[in-house]
Amino acid sequence: MAATPPTAGTTPTTRSIPTTVTITGAGGQIGYALLFRIAAGDMLGPDVPVRLRLLEVPQGLRSAEGAALELQDCAFSLLADVEITDDPAVAFDGCNLALLVGARPRGPGMERADLLAANAGIFGPQGAALGAHAADDVRVVVVGNPANTNALIAAASAPDIDPSRFTALIRLDENRAKGQLAQALGAPVGDIRNVTIWGNHSATQFADVAHATVGGRAVTDALAERLDVDVAAWLDDTFLPRVAKRGAEIIEVRGSSSVASAANATIDHVRDWVHGTGEGWTSAGLISRGEYDVPEGLVSSFPVRSDGTGWQIVEGLEIDDRARRLIDASVAELAAERDAVRELGVL
Ligand code: NAD
Ligand code: LMR
């Protein structure tokens, strides 16, 4: 592993040594939506200089180069340096934060699991390069789909990195769930807390509002007061599928998969990981150590808090029969993805 500079890292302190942020697939759509916000300080804060390393495949380099020209033209005071490469060893050298975005997106009619074979070959070598070259304090967020299983592959390929440093992006699903609840309740989205996404970033995910609050009140009570329908039926028949299939809805309406909202969720995920979650919890894909009976080793979404140093799974939440059934269904899909990857010989 590359040596960590004395004051480098991702803790939210003012420092003169920039944090090295590597973005894979930086020449793609999400990359373009991420770069300018990171350089503006939206992710790590207004006092933290960043050094950007953009990793692309050879055919994506020109697009990344174009983005780098525009970054220069923005004259961001926090942007110390931009390096573009198609070599993972260079891209991950001394990397403090790795945003693994580069992968093939799904098109209309595809499920995210259809991308397994196409994308499995990317995350093994990138995990190995992280293990060989990243800084000791590296934190990794996998965005490229299927995000949970890609994170599992990357972590398994970097045995010298603490597996808790590998995460999968689920925040987009949580943000979508909060957006739907805010609309149904006629409430400000910022008043909604403790929505949990369990399982896979896929159509089987479970958006759980059993512990969620709006302005301090139980969301389920507020929904019962506001909606003229049975709340349990609304949650099962309207809310859950709307959130779980939102990615497909975006693909159908836009003609390509979500970009700005995915980049925004990535920034939310890293900001909370690095600066802490404050009140309430959020959701992230983490390697299970058996919490909530999710089999050890799978990368599943859980309710999590961060104190700035790392994610901790919120334990002890009551799981009723409906929740158990829905969590188990999504976790079964994660186990099937892991088995499929094993069959491909990637794990
Ligand atoms: P895109 O096709 O616009 O960009 C992907 C980029 O990755 C391309 O520029 C491509 O050249 C590059 N790339 C491919 N293989 C690479 C490799 N081995 N190393 C480095 N770069 C590589 O796609 P996009 O819209 O930016 O989406 C990227 C990924 O993010 C897709 O897998 C998409 O499904 C996923 N996504 C995830 C979420 C989430 O919430 N987890 C949300 C939206 C999209
Ligand atoms: C999303 O949720 O928008 C992304 O995972 C893209 C997709 O394929 O749905």
PDB file of all heavy atoms in Angstrom, residues 24-31 55-57 59-60 101-106 115 119 122 126 142-145 147 169 172-173 201 257-259 262, ligand 1:
ATOM      1  N   THR A  24     -13.811   6.340 -10.801  1.00  0.00           N
ATOM      2  CA  THR A  24     -13.713   5.499 -11.993  1.00  0.00           C
ATOM      3  C   THR A  24     -14.906   5.801 -12.901  1.00  0.00           C
ATOM      4  O   THR A  24     -15.967   6.204 -12.429  1.00  0.00           O
ATOM      5  CB  THR A  24     -13.692   3.997 -11.626  1.00  0.00           C
ATOM      6  OG1 THR A  24     -15.015   3.617 -11.221  1.00  0.00           O
ATOM      7  CG2 THR A  24     -12.703   3.707 -10.503  1.00  0.00           C
ATOM      8  N   GLY A  25     -14.712   5.634 -14.187  1.00  0.00           N
ATOM      9  CA  GLY A  25     -15.787   5.990 -15.126  1.00  0.00           C
ATOM     10  C   GLY A  25     -16.032   7.483 -15.141  1.00  0.00           C
ATOM     11  O   GLY A  25     -17.143   7.944 -15.396  1.00  0.00           O
ATOM     12  N   ALA A  26     -14.962   8.234 -14.871  1.00  0.00           N
ATOM     13  CA  ALA A  26     -15.107   9.690 -14.705  1.00  0.00           C
ATOM     14  C   ALA A  26     -15.523  10.385 -15.995  1.00  0.00           C
ATOM     15  O   ALA A  26     -16.025  11.511 -15.957  1.00  0.00           O
ATOM     16  CB  ALA A  26     -13.796  10.280 -14.193  1.00  0.00           C
ATOM     17  N   GLY A  27     -15.338   9.713 -17.130  1.00  0.00           N
ATOM     18  CA  GLY A  27     -15.756  10.317 -18.397  1.00  0.00           C
ATOM     19  C   GLY A  27     -17.221  10.045 -18.715  1.00  0.00           C
ATOM     20  O   GLY A  27     -17.730  10.509 -19.739  1.00  0.00           O
ATOM     21  N   GLY A  28     -17.898   9.307 -17.863  1.00  0.00           N
ATOM     22  CA  GLY A  28     -19.300   8.960 -18.112  1.00  0.00           C
ATOM     23  C   GLY A  28     -20.249   9.993 -17.512  1.00  0.00           C
ATOM     24  O   GLY A  28     -19.836  11.045 -17.015  1.00  0.00           O
ATOM     25  N   GLN A  29     -21.507   9.635 -17.550  1.00  0.00           N
ATOM     26  CA  GLN A  29     -22.558  10.585 -17.150  1.00  0.00           C
ATOM     27  C   GLN A  29     -22.513  10.934 -15.662  1.00  0.00           C
ATOM     28  O   GLN A  29     -22.542  12.107 -15.292  1.00  0.00           O
ATOM     29  CB  GLN A  29     -23.918   9.957 -17.458  1.00  0.00           C
ATOM     30  CG  GLN A  29     -24.118   9.671 -18.910  1.00  0.00           C
ATOM     31  CD  GLN A  29     -25.319  10.423 -19.404  1.00  0.00           C
ATOM     32  OE1 GLN A  29     -25.345  11.649 -19.375  1.00  0.00           O
ATOM     33  NE2 GLN A  29     -26.326   9.691 -19.824  1.00  0.00           N
ATOM     34  N   ILE A  30     -22.474   9.904 -14.803  1.00  0.00           N
ATOM     35  CA  ILE A  30     -22.450  10.184 -13.361  1.00  0.00           C
ATOM     36  C   ILE A  30     -21.141  10.881 -13.007  1.00  0.00           C
ATOM     37  O   ILE A  30     -21.107  11.808 -12.186  1.00  0.00           O
ATOM     38  CB  ILE A  30     -22.648   8.892 -12.535  1.00  0.00           C
ATOM     39  CG1 ILE A  30     -24.047   8.327 -12.799  1.00  0.00           C
ATOM     40  CG2 ILE A  30     -22.461   9.158 -11.043  1.00  0.00           C
ATOM     41  CD1 ILE A  30     -24.321   6.993 -12.132  1.00  0.00           C
ATOM     42  N   GLY A  31     -20.065  10.440 -13.644  1.00  0.00           N
ATOM     43  CA  GLY A  31     -18.772  11.095 -13.415  1.00  0.00           C
ATOM     44  C   GLY A  31     -18.886  12.593 -13.661  1.00  0.00           C
ATOM     45  O   GLY A  31     -18.439  13.413 -12.832  1.00  0.00           O
ATOM     46  N   LEU A  55     -10.194   7.747 -13.521  1.00  0.00           N
ATOM     47  CA  LEU A  55      -9.858   6.486 -14.195  1.00  0.00           C
ATOM     48  C   LEU A  55     -10.885   6.202 -15.282  1.00  0.00           C
ATOM     49  O   LEU A  55     -12.092   6.257 -15.023  1.00  0.00           O
ATOM     50  CB  LEU A  55      -9.835   5.330 -13.184  1.00  0.00           C
ATOM     51  CG  LEU A  55      -9.520   3.943 -13.779  1.00  0.00           C
ATOM     52  CD1 LEU A  55      -8.083   3.862 -14.312  1.00  0.00           C
ATOM     53  CD2 LEU A  55      -9.746   2.840 -12.750  1.00  0.00           C
ATOM     54  N   GLU A  56     -10.400   5.919 -16.458  1.00  0.00           N
ATOM     55  CA  GLU A  56     -11.280   5.570 -17.573  1.00  0.00           C
ATOM     56  C   GLU A  56     -10.660   4.433 -18.375  1.00  0.00           C
ATOM     57  O   GLU A  56      -9.469   4.142 -18.250  1.00  0.00           O
ATOM     58  CB  GLU A  56     -11.499   6.789 -18.510  1.00  0.00           C
ATOM     59  CG  GLU A  56     -12.817   7.510 -18.291  1.00  0.00           C
ATOM     60  CD  GLU A  56     -14.053   6.658 -18.622  1.00  0.00           C
ATOM     61  OE1 GLU A  56     -13.907   5.593 -19.230  1.00  0.00           O
ATOM     62  OE2 GLU A  56     -15.173   7.057 -18.247  1.00  0.00           O
ATOM     63  N   VAL A  57     -11.475   3.790 -19.177  1.00  0.00           N
ATOM     64  CA  VAL A  57     -10.937   2.883 -20.183  1.00  0.00           C
ATOM     65  C   VAL A  57     -10.440   3.765 -21.331  1.00  0.00           C
ATOM     66  O   VAL A  57     -10.848   4.940 -21.436  1.00  0.00           O
ATOM     67  CB  VAL A  57     -12.024   1.882 -20.664  1.00  0.00           C
ATOM     68  CG1 VAL A  57     -12.315   0.867 -19.568  1.00  0.00           C
ATOM     69  CG2 VAL A  57     -13.309   2.603 -21.076  1.00  0.00           C
ATOM     70  N   GLN A  59     -11.127   4.257 -24.376  1.00  0.00           N
ATOM     71  CA  GLN A  59     -12.123   4.970 -25.209  1.00  0.00           C
ATOM     72  C   GLN A  59     -12.878   6.045 -24.432  1.00  0.00           C
ATOM     73  O   GLN A  59     -13.567   6.875 -25.035  1.00  0.00           O
ATOM     74  CB  GLN A  59     -13.083   3.999 -25.909  1.00  0.00           C
ATOM     75  CG  GLN A  59     -13.905   3.111 -25.003  1.00  0.00           C
ATOM     76  CD  GLN A  59     -13.195   1.806 -24.628  1.00  0.00           C
ATOM     77  OE1 GLN A  59     -11.975   1.737 -24.534  1.00  0.00           O
ATOM     78  NE2 GLN A  59     -13.983   0.773 -24.365  1.00  0.00           N
ATOM     79  N   GLY A  60     -12.742   6.056 -23.102  1.00  0.00           N
ATOM     80  CA  GLY A  60     -13.415   7.085 -22.293  1.00  0.00           C
ATOM     81  C   GLY A  60     -12.493   8.232 -21.907  1.00  0.00           C
ATOM     82  O   GLY A  60     -12.940   9.208 -21.266  1.00  0.00           O
ATOM     83  N   VAL A 101     -17.542   4.090 -10.018  1.00  0.00           N
ATOM     84  CA  VAL A 101     -18.733   4.381 -10.828  1.00  0.00           C
ATOM     85  C   VAL A 101     -18.662   3.646 -12.167  1.00  0.00           C
ATOM     86  O   VAL A 101     -19.674   3.212 -12.707  1.00  0.00           O
ATOM     87  CB  VAL A 101     -18.842   5.910 -11.075  1.00  0.00           C
ATOM     88  CG1 VAL A 101     -20.066   6.234 -11.922  1.00  0.00           C
ATOM     89  CG2 VAL A 101     -18.880   6.675  -9.749  1.00  0.00           C
ATOM     90  N   GLY A 102     -17.464   3.519 -12.701  1.00  0.00           N
ATOM     91  CA  GLY A 102     -17.291   3.009 -14.064  1.00  0.00           C
ATOM     92  C   GLY A 102     -17.810   1.598 -14.225  1.00  0.00           C
ATOM     93  O   GLY A 102     -17.326   0.663 -13.612  1.00  0.00           O
ATOM     94  N   ALA A 103     -18.824   1.447 -15.042  1.00  0.00           N
ATOM     95  CA  ALA A 103     -19.434   0.153 -15.315  1.00  0.00           C
ATOM     96  C   ALA A 103     -20.438   0.390 -16.433  1.00  0.00           C
ATOM     97  O   ALA A 103     -20.733   1.535 -16.770  1.00  0.00           O
ATOM     98  CB  ALA A 103     -20.150  -0.383 -14.083  1.00  0.00           C
ATOM     99  N   ARG A 104     -20.936  -0.706 -16.941  1.00  0.00           N
ATOM    100  CA  ARG A 104     -21.937  -0.542 -17.994  1.00  0.00           C
ATOM    101  C   ARG A 104     -23.311  -0.322 -17.362  1.00  0.00           C
ATOM    102  O   ARG A 104     -23.735  -1.123 -16.526  1.00  0.00           O
ATOM    103  CB  ARG A 104     -21.950  -1.823 -18.844  1.00  0.00           C
ATOM    104  CG  ARG A 104     -22.803  -1.686 -20.058  1.00  0.00           C
ATOM    105  CD  ARG A 104     -22.808  -2.977 -20.853  1.00  0.00           C
ATOM    106  NE  ARG A 104     -24.129  -3.134 -21.436  1.00  0.00           N
ATOM    107  CZ  ARG A 104     -24.622  -4.262 -21.867  1.00  0.00           C
ATOM    108  NH1 ARG A 104     -23.916  -5.365 -21.784  1.00  0.00           N
ATOM    109  NH2 ARG A 104     -25.825  -4.312 -22.386  1.00  0.00           N
ATOM    110  N   PRO A 105     -24.038   0.735 -17.720  1.00  0.00           N
ATOM    111  CA  PRO A 105     -25.386   0.906 -17.152  1.00  0.00           C
ATOM    112  C   PRO A 105     -26.395   0.014 -17.852  1.00  0.00           C
ATOM    113  O   PRO A 105     -26.167  -0.407 -18.983  1.00  0.00           O
ATOM    114  CB  PRO A 105     -25.699   2.385 -17.417  1.00  0.00           C
ATOM    115  CG  PRO A 105     -24.780   2.843 -18.475  1.00  0.00           C
ATOM    116  CD  PRO A 105     -23.667   1.836 -18.621  1.00  0.00           C
ATOM    117  N   ARG A 106     -27.522  -0.280 -17.192  1.00  0.00           N
ATOM    118  CA  ARG A 106     -28.544  -1.098 -17.853  1.00  0.00           C
ATOM    119  C   ARG A 106     -29.388  -0.222 -18.767  1.00  0.00           C
ATOM    120  O   ARG A 106     -29.517   0.990 -18.570  1.00  0.00           O
ATOM    121  CB  ARG A 106     -29.419  -1.826 -16.840  1.00  0.00           C
ATOM    122  CG  ARG A 106     -30.323  -0.958 -16.019  1.00  0.00           C
ATOM    123  CD  ARG A 106     -31.291  -1.805 -15.194  1.00  0.00           C
ATOM    124  NE  ARG A 106     -31.913  -1.005 -14.157  1.00  0.00           N
ATOM    125  CZ  ARG A 106     -33.094  -1.258 -13.625  1.00  0.00           C
ATOM    126  NH1 ARG A 106     -33.794  -2.300 -14.025  1.00  0.00           N
ATOM    127  NH2 ARG A 106     -33.579  -0.485 -12.675  1.00  0.00           N
ATOM    128  N   LEU A 115     -26.387  -7.209 -15.468  1.00  0.00           N
ATOM    129  CA  LEU A 115     -25.069  -6.604 -15.674  1.00  0.00           C
ATOM    130  C   LEU A 115     -23.963  -7.379 -14.975  1.00  0.00           C
ATOM    131  O   LEU A 115     -22.791  -7.041 -15.105  1.00  0.00           O
ATOM    132  CB  LEU A 115     -25.074  -5.165 -15.133  1.00  0.00           C
ATOM    133  CG  LEU A 115     -26.072  -4.206 -15.791  1.00  0.00           C
ATOM    134  CD1 LEU A 115     -26.152  -2.920 -15.004  1.00  0.00           C
ATOM    135  CD2 LEU A 115     -25.646  -3.921 -17.215  1.00  0.00           C
ATOM    136  N   ASN A 119     -20.030  -6.625 -15.662  1.00  0.00           N
ATOM    137  CA  ASN A 119     -19.319  -5.739 -14.734  1.00  0.00           C
ATOM    138  C   ASN A 119     -18.466  -6.458 -13.692  1.00  0.00           C
ATOM    139  O   ASN A 119     -17.614  -5.834 -13.062  1.00  0.00           O
ATOM    140  CB  ASN A 119     -20.312  -4.795 -14.053  1.00  0.00           C
ATOM    141  CG  ASN A 119     -20.859  -3.777 -15.057  1.00  0.00           C
ATOM    142  OD1 ASN A 119     -20.179  -3.460 -16.039  1.00  0.00           O
ATOM    143  ND2 ASN A 119     -22.053  -3.286 -14.840  1.00  0.00           N
ATOM    144  N   ILE A 122     -14.732  -6.045 -13.930  1.00  0.00           N
ATOM    145  CA  ILE A 122     -14.139  -4.726 -13.660  1.00  0.00           C
ATOM    146  C   ILE A 122     -13.736  -4.613 -12.195  1.00  0.00           C
ATOM    147  O   ILE A 122     -12.686  -4.075 -11.857  1.00  0.00           O
ATOM    148  CB  ILE A 122     -15.157  -3.608 -14.002  1.00  0.00           C
ATOM    149  CG1 ILE A 122     -15.448  -3.620 -15.510  1.00  0.00           C
ATOM    150  CG2 ILE A 122     -14.677  -2.251 -13.524  1.00  0.00           C
ATOM    151  CD1 ILE A 122     -16.510  -2.605 -15.938  1.00  0.00           C
ATOM    152  N   GLN A 126     -10.059  -3.909  -9.992  1.00  0.00           N
ATOM    153  CA  GLN A 126     -10.008  -2.607  -9.301  1.00  0.00           C
ATOM    154  C   GLN A 126      -9.836  -2.793  -7.794  1.00  0.00           C
ATOM    155  O   GLN A 126      -9.118  -2.040  -7.145  1.00  0.00           O
ATOM    156  CB  GLN A 126     -11.249  -1.771  -9.627  1.00  0.00           C
ATOM    157  CG  GLN A 126     -11.201  -1.283 -11.068  1.00  0.00           C
ATOM    158  CD  GLN A 126     -12.307  -0.327 -11.447  1.00  0.00           C
ATOM    159  OE1 GLN A 126     -13.199  -0.046 -10.657  1.00  0.00           O
ATOM    160  NE2 GLN A 126     -12.260   0.164 -12.668  1.00  0.00           N
ATOM    161  N   VAL A 142     -19.129   1.839  -3.946  1.00  0.00           N
ATOM    162  CA  VAL A 142     -19.412   1.255  -5.257  1.00  0.00           C
ATOM    163  C   VAL A 142     -20.767   1.760  -5.735  1.00  0.00           C
ATOM    164  O   VAL A 142     -21.788   1.581  -5.063  1.00  0.00           O
ATOM    165  CB  VAL A 142     -19.393  -0.288  -5.195  1.00  0.00           C
ATOM    166  CG1 VAL A 142     -19.783  -0.867  -6.550  1.00  0.00           C
ATOM    167  CG2 VAL A 142     -18.007  -0.775  -4.793  1.00  0.00           C
ATOM    168  N   VAL A 143     -20.745   2.394  -6.896  1.00  0.00           N
ATOM    169  CA  VAL A 143     -21.963   2.928  -7.518  1.00  0.00           C
ATOM    170  C   VAL A 143     -22.367   2.051  -8.696  1.00  0.00           C
ATOM    171  O   VAL A 143     -23.549   1.799  -8.942  1.00  0.00           O
ATOM    172  CB  VAL A 143     -21.720   4.388  -7.978  1.00  0.00           C
ATOM    173  CG1 VAL A 143     -22.945   4.957  -8.691  1.00  0.00           C
ATOM    174  CG2 VAL A 143     -21.333   5.268  -6.790  1.00  0.00           C
ATOM    175  N   GLY A 144     -21.376   1.575  -9.457  1.00  0.00           N
ATOM    176  CA  GLY A 144     -21.648   0.769 -10.657  1.00  0.00           C
ATOM    177  C   GLY A 144     -22.442  -0.479 -10.303  1.00  0.00           C
ATOM    178  O   GLY A 144     -22.167  -1.149  -9.306  1.00  0.00           O
ATOM    179  N   ASN A 145     -23.417  -0.791 -11.122  1.00  0.00           N
ATOM    180  CA  ASN A 145     -24.336  -1.906 -10.830  1.00  0.00           C
ATOM    181  C   ASN A 145     -23.850  -3.249 -11.352  1.00  0.00           C
ATOM    182  O   ASN A 145     -23.132  -3.296 -12.341  1.00  0.00           O
ATOM    183  CB  ASN A 145     -25.702  -1.598 -11.451  1.00  0.00           C
ATOM    184  CG  ASN A 145     -26.507  -0.676 -10.577  1.00  0.00           C
ATOM    185  OD1 ASN A 145     -26.554  -0.846  -9.366  1.00  0.00           O
ATOM    186  ND2 ASN A 145     -27.139   0.314 -11.194  1.00  0.00           N
ATOM    187  N   ALA A 147     -24.510  -2.898  -7.675  1.00  0.00           N
ATOM    188  CA  ALA A 147     -23.585  -2.247  -6.741  1.00  0.00           C
ATOM    189  C   ALA A 147     -23.210  -3.145  -5.557  1.00  0.00           C
ATOM    190  O   ALA A 147     -22.039  -3.224  -5.179  1.00  0.00           O
ATOM    191  CB  ALA A 147     -24.198  -0.938  -6.249  1.00  0.00           C
ATOM    192  N   LEU A 169     -23.633   1.884  -2.760  1.00  0.00           N
ATOM    193  CA  LEU A 169     -24.540   3.034  -2.699  1.00  0.00           C
ATOM    194  C   LEU A 169     -25.996   2.576  -2.653  1.00  0.00           C
ATOM    195  O   LEU A 169     -26.485   1.921  -3.572  1.00  0.00           O
ATOM    196  CB  LEU A 169     -24.335   3.927  -3.929  1.00  0.00           C
ATOM    197  CG  LEU A 169     -25.199   5.195  -3.907  1.00  0.00           C
ATOM    198  CD1 LEU A 169     -24.681   6.168  -2.864  1.00  0.00           C
ATOM    199  CD2 LEU A 169     -25.244   5.859  -5.273  1.00  0.00           C
ATOM    200  N   LEU A 172     -29.460   6.498  -2.833  1.00  0.00           N
ATOM    201  CA  LEU A 172     -30.417   6.969  -3.838  1.00  0.00           C
ATOM    202  C   LEU A 172     -31.808   6.406  -3.536  1.00  0.00           C
ATOM    203  O   LEU A 172     -32.811   7.117  -3.650  1.00  0.00           O
ATOM    204  CB  LEU A 172     -29.936   6.545  -5.236  1.00  0.00           C
ATOM    205  CG  LEU A 172     -30.817   6.928  -6.415  1.00  0.00           C
ATOM    206  CD1 LEU A 172     -31.121   8.419  -6.450  1.00  0.00           C
ATOM    207  CD2 LEU A 172     -30.160   6.496  -7.727  1.00  0.00           C
ATOM    208  N   ASP A 173     -31.866   5.146  -3.134  1.00  0.00           N
ATOM    209  CA  ASP A 173     -33.166   4.535  -2.812  1.00  0.00           C
ATOM    210  C   ASP A 173     -33.789   5.200  -1.592  1.00  0.00           C
ATOM    211  O   ASP A 173     -34.999   5.430  -1.538  1.00  0.00           O
ATOM    212  CB  ASP A 173     -32.973   3.032  -2.570  1.00  0.00           C
ATOM    213  CG  ASP A 173     -32.298   2.372  -3.760  1.00  0.00           C
ATOM    214  OD1 ASP A 173     -32.903   2.335  -4.827  1.00  0.00           O
ATOM    215  OD2 ASP A 173     -31.140   1.946  -3.619  1.00  0.00           O
ATOM    216  N   HIS A 201     -29.724  -3.196  -3.858  1.00  0.00           N
ATOM    217  CA  HIS A 201     -30.102  -2.065  -4.713  1.00  0.00           C
ATOM    218  C   HIS A 201     -30.701  -2.649  -5.997  1.00  0.00           C
ATOM    219  O   HIS A 201     -30.056  -2.745  -7.038  1.00  0.00           O
ATOM    220  CB  HIS A 201     -28.873  -1.198  -5.028  1.00  0.00           C
ATOM    221  CG  HIS A 201     -29.158  -0.124  -6.038  1.00  0.00           C
ATOM    222  ND1 HIS A 201     -30.064   0.898  -5.815  1.00  0.00           N
ATOM    223  CD2 HIS A 201     -28.673   0.092  -7.275  1.00  0.00           C
ATOM    224  CE1 HIS A 201     -30.105   1.679  -6.876  1.00  0.00           C
ATOM    225  NE2 HIS A 201     -29.281   1.213  -7.784  1.00  0.00           N
ATOM    226  N   SER A 257     -30.196   5.839 -17.641  1.00  0.00           N
ATOM    227  CA  SER A 257     -30.385   5.696 -16.204  1.00  0.00           C
ATOM    228  C   SER A 257     -30.067   6.990 -15.457  1.00  0.00           C
ATOM    229  O   SER A 257     -29.447   7.905 -15.996  1.00  0.00           O
ATOM    230  CB  SER A 257     -29.595   4.503 -15.657  1.00  0.00           C
ATOM    231  OG  SER A 257     -28.226   4.735 -15.695  1.00  0.00           O
ATOM    232  N   SER A 258     -30.490   7.017 -14.206  1.00  0.00           N
ATOM    233  CA  SER A 258     -30.390   8.222 -13.380  1.00  0.00           C
ATOM    234  C   SER A 258     -28.945   8.697 -13.305  1.00  0.00           C
ATOM    235  O   SER A 258     -28.021   7.893 -13.237  1.00  0.00           O
ATOM    236  CB  SER A 258     -30.905   7.929 -11.975  1.00  0.00           C
ATOM    237  OG  SER A 258     -30.130   6.906 -11.391  1.00  0.00           O
ATOM    238  N   VAL A 259     -28.758   9.997 -13.288  1.00  0.00           N
ATOM    239  CA  VAL A 259     -27.408  10.561 -13.297  1.00  0.00           C
ATOM    240  C   VAL A 259     -27.247  11.568 -12.150  1.00  0.00           C
ATOM    241  O   VAL A 259     -26.502  11.340 -11.194  1.00  0.00           O
ATOM    242  CB  VAL A 259     -27.102  11.220 -14.660  1.00  0.00           C
ATOM    243  CG1 VAL A 259     -25.756  11.924 -14.613  1.00  0.00           C
ATOM    244  CG2 VAL A 259     -27.107  10.170 -15.760  1.00  0.00           C
ATOM    245  N   ALA A 262     -28.144  10.163  -8.820  1.00  0.00           N
ATOM    246  CA  ALA A 262     -27.165   9.166  -8.378  1.00  0.00           C
ATOM    247  C   ALA A 262     -25.910   9.860  -7.859  1.00  0.00           C
ATOM    248  O   ALA A 262     -25.353   9.477  -6.823  1.00  0.00           O
ATOM    249  CB  ALA A 262     -26.827   8.232  -9.536  1.00  0.00           C
TER     250      ALA A 262
HETATM  251  P1  NAD B   1     -21.925   5.815 -18.382  1.00  0.00           P
HETATM  252  O1  NAD B   1     -21.955   4.728 -19.416  1.00  0.00           O
HETATM  253  O2  NAD B   1     -22.347   7.187 -18.755  1.00  0.00           O
HETATM  254  O3  NAD B   1     -20.471   5.919 -17.783  1.00  0.00           O
HETATM  255  C1  NAD B   1     -19.744   4.806 -17.398  1.00  0.00           C
HETATM  256  C2  NAD B   1     -18.295   5.123 -17.665  1.00  0.00           C
HETATM  257  O4  NAD B   1     -17.534   4.062 -17.130  1.00  0.00           O
HETATM  258  C3  NAD B   1     -17.973   5.217 -19.163  1.00  0.00           C
HETATM  259  O5  NAD B   1     -17.342   6.452 -19.430  1.00  0.00           O
HETATM  260  C4  NAD B   1     -17.036   4.028 -19.389  1.00  0.00           C
HETATM  261  O6  NAD B   1     -16.027   4.310 -20.359  1.00  0.00           O
HETATM  262  C5  NAD B   1     -16.433   3.859 -17.982  1.00  0.00           C
HETATM  263  N1  NAD B   1     -15.885   2.548 -17.731  1.00  0.00           N
HETATM  264  C6  NAD B   1     -16.317   1.340 -18.159  1.00  0.00           C
HETATM  265  N2  NAD B   1     -15.498   0.377 -17.713  1.00  0.00           N
HETATM  266  C7  NAD B   1     -14.547   0.979 -16.967  1.00  0.00           C
HETATM  267  C8  NAD B   1     -13.411   0.507 -16.249  1.00  0.00           C
HETATM  268  N3  NAD B   1     -13.094  -0.783 -16.229  1.00  0.00           N
HETATM  269  N4  NAD B   1     -12.649   1.415 -15.620  1.00  0.00           N
HETATM  270  C9  NAD B   1     -12.930   2.717 -15.647  1.00  0.00           C
HETATM  271  N5  NAD B   1     -13.998   3.230 -16.329  1.00  0.00           N
HETATM  272  C10 NAD B   1     -14.789   2.355 -16.971  1.00  0.00           C
HETATM  273  O7  NAD B   1     -22.770   5.265 -17.141  1.00  0.00           O
HETATM  274  P2  NAD B   1     -23.312   6.098 -15.881  1.00  0.00           P
HETATM  275  O8  NAD B   1     -24.675   6.592 -16.198  1.00  0.00           O
HETATM  276  O9  NAD B   1     -22.280   7.038 -15.426  1.00  0.00           O
HETATM  277  O10 NAD B   1     -23.523   4.894 -14.832  1.00  0.00           O
HETATM  278  C11 NAD B   1     -22.404   4.234 -14.266  1.00  0.00           C
HETATM  279  C12 NAD B   1     -22.855   3.062 -13.409  1.00  0.00           C
HETATM  280  O11 NAD B   1     -23.589   3.536 -12.287  1.00  0.00           O
HETATM  281  C13 NAD B   1     -23.769   2.057 -14.090  1.00  0.00           C
HETATM  282  O12 NAD B   1     -23.409   0.757 -13.682  1.00  0.00           O
HETATM  283  C14 NAD B   1     -25.136   2.412 -13.539  1.00  0.00           C
HETATM  284  O13 NAD B   1     -26.023   1.319 -13.614  1.00  0.00           O
HETATM  285  C15 NAD B   1     -24.761   2.721 -12.132  1.00  0.00           C
HETATM  286  N6  NAD B   1     -25.735   3.475 -11.334  1.00  0.00           N
HETATM  287  C16 NAD B   1     -25.843   3.118 -10.024  1.00  0.00           C
HETATM  288  C17 NAD B   1     -26.724   3.794  -9.205  1.00  0.00           C
HETATM  289  C18 NAD B   1     -26.845   3.433  -7.748  1.00  0.00           C
HETATM  290  O14 NAD B   1     -27.703   4.011  -7.057  1.00  0.00           O
HETATM  291  N7  NAD B   1     -26.069   2.520  -7.202  1.00  0.00           N
HETATM  292  C19 NAD B   1     -27.497   4.833  -9.718  1.00  0.00           C
HETATM  293  C20 NAD B   1     -27.355   5.178 -11.062  1.00  0.00           C
HETATM  294  C21 NAD B   1     -26.475   4.467 -11.874  1.00  0.00           C
END
